[in-house]
């Protein structure tokens, strides 16, 4: 890190914000005006997946009010993200004027932090969406950068990642089953109900009839129907997510090079997320049904066992995004559950709860990922590059390449 910052100051000595950020514009004011006029479409393009996927996953029950609220939500999130982008790019020039030189941390990092902190506040749903997404990407970069031996082992071992994911998943599902916390996770456990011992049940679990004359499980339909319904719905959701991602990535080919659109789409379209979700839901529901049939009733321990074991499906899709999401949800849900169920908590703990963690986390993570995109781009997740370049009309990408060319020229001269 110190070598990189030292090289930065050597290659930018005597350079201005115009040299690095906007050489095509003679003044910062012209750069700001152009930025404000050109960046709006990129923010709306970034949120296309948010516009397309929820209605597809919903699968029905559409009303005029639903579409109105959905488009308004999409437009609001896109516009506020556009403001964050404009403020962030403008602050680069402001900080140069303030310090009189280009600064390693004030080129991308702090402008990103202050743009997220000072821009119009996103509503809680979008703030959570952006905050957790950027925080998870920040954790991913930190894991990749870390030289700590334990983290290196975790980073290189899929089995260690699977074991931790199983633990996180079991705790998350346990908290959700208590009913005090209502947050997004891959799935939600069925609420436990007392079995009706007078209700005849001859349904099967993976083809086998268990020796119970009554329905022991908490779900409504037959066990096999319950399992295969989950497999179908989660497989479809996984396919839609991957297809939408591939479609947005390759969409420019549709008008630039139509002949390469379908081959390009097939090349990057993956089914691993679909298989992961199908295996996750199938194993969870099958194990739960088998345990209910064995004990003659549904118990909280069944949820813990099933959610722990179904976490092994992580090996199908061992991605940083899945692991970091499980970790953040594990911490966030456990914290919220503590406050909703804990008794006689100390006063200082309640004061901690009043801190706007989500807002602070969002601002810090945005700043960190802006910095990582320029100075550690090989570690930055593809989504970070895509999001920033969409919202900046590729200005950040040009800044990064300009800085890289200066550094390469500097190293060539030293050699």
């Amino acid at each position: 890190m110190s070598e990189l910052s030292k090289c930065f100051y050597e290659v930018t000595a005597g350079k201005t914000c115009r040299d690095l950020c906007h050489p095509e514009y003679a003044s910062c004011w012209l750069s700001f005006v152009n930025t404000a006029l050109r960046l709006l479409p990129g923010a709306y393009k970034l949120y296309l997946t948010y516009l397309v996927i929820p209605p597809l996953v919903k699968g029905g029950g559409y009303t005029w009010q639903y579409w109105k609220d959905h488009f308004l939500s999409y437009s609001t999130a896109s516009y506020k993200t556009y403001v964050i982008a404009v403020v962030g790019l403008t602050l680069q020039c402001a900080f140069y004027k303030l310090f009189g030189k280009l600064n390693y941390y004030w080129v991308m990092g702090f402008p990103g932090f202050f743009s997220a902190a000072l821009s119009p506040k996103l509503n809680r749903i979008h703030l959570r969406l952006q905050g957790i997404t950027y925080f998870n990407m920040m954790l991913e970069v930190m894991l990749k950068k870390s030289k700590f031996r334990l983290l290196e082992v975790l980073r290189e071992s899929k089995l260690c990642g699977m074991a931790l994911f199983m633990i996180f998943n079991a705790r998350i599902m346990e908290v959700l089953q208590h009913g005090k916390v209502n947050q997004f996770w891959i799935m939600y456990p069925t609420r436990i109900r007392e079995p009706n011992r007078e209700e005849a049940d001859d349904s099967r679990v993976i083809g086998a009839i268990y020796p119970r004359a009554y329905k022991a499980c908490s779900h409504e339909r037959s066990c096999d129907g319950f399992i295969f319904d989950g497999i179908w719905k989660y497989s479809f959701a996984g396919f839609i997510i991957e297809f939408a991602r591939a479609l947005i990535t390759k969409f420019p080919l549709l008008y630039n090079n139509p002949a390469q659109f379908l081959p390009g789409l097939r090349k990057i379209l993956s089914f691993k997320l679909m298989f992961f979700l199908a295996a996750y839901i199938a194993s969870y529901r099958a194990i739960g049904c088998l345990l209910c049939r064995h004990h003659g009733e549904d118990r909280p321990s069944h949820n813990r066992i099933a959610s722990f074991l179904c976490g092994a499906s992580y090996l199908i899709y061992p991605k940083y995004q899945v692991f970091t999401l499980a970790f953040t949800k594990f911490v966030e849900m456990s914290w919220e559950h503590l406050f909703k169920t804990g008794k006689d908590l100390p006063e200082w703990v309640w004061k901690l709860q009043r801190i706007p963690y989500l807002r602070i986390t969002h601002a810090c993570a945005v700043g960190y990922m802006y910095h990582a995109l320029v100075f550690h781009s090989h570690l930055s997740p593809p989504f970070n590059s895509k999001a920033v370049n969409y919202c900046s009309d590729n200005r950040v990408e040009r800044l990064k390449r300009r800085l890289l060319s200066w550094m390469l020229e500097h190293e060539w001269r030293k050699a």
Side-chain angles (χ1 to χ4, degrees), residues 294-313:
H294 178 73
H295 291 101
E297 62 180 357
D298 197 357
R299 301 175 182 175
S301 58
H302 298 168
N303 174 58
R304 289 193 290 268
I305 293 170
S307 57
F308 177 78
L309 294 177
C310 80
S313 57

Side-chain angles (χ1 to χ4, degrees), residues 246 249-268:
T249 301
K250 294 299 180 181
F251 187 76
L253 288 176
L254 196 58
Y255 51 85
N256 290 332
N257 191 354
Q260 292 300 315
F261 176 69
L262 289 178
L265 200 64
R266 286 196 299 267
K267 187 175 181 180
I268 68 169

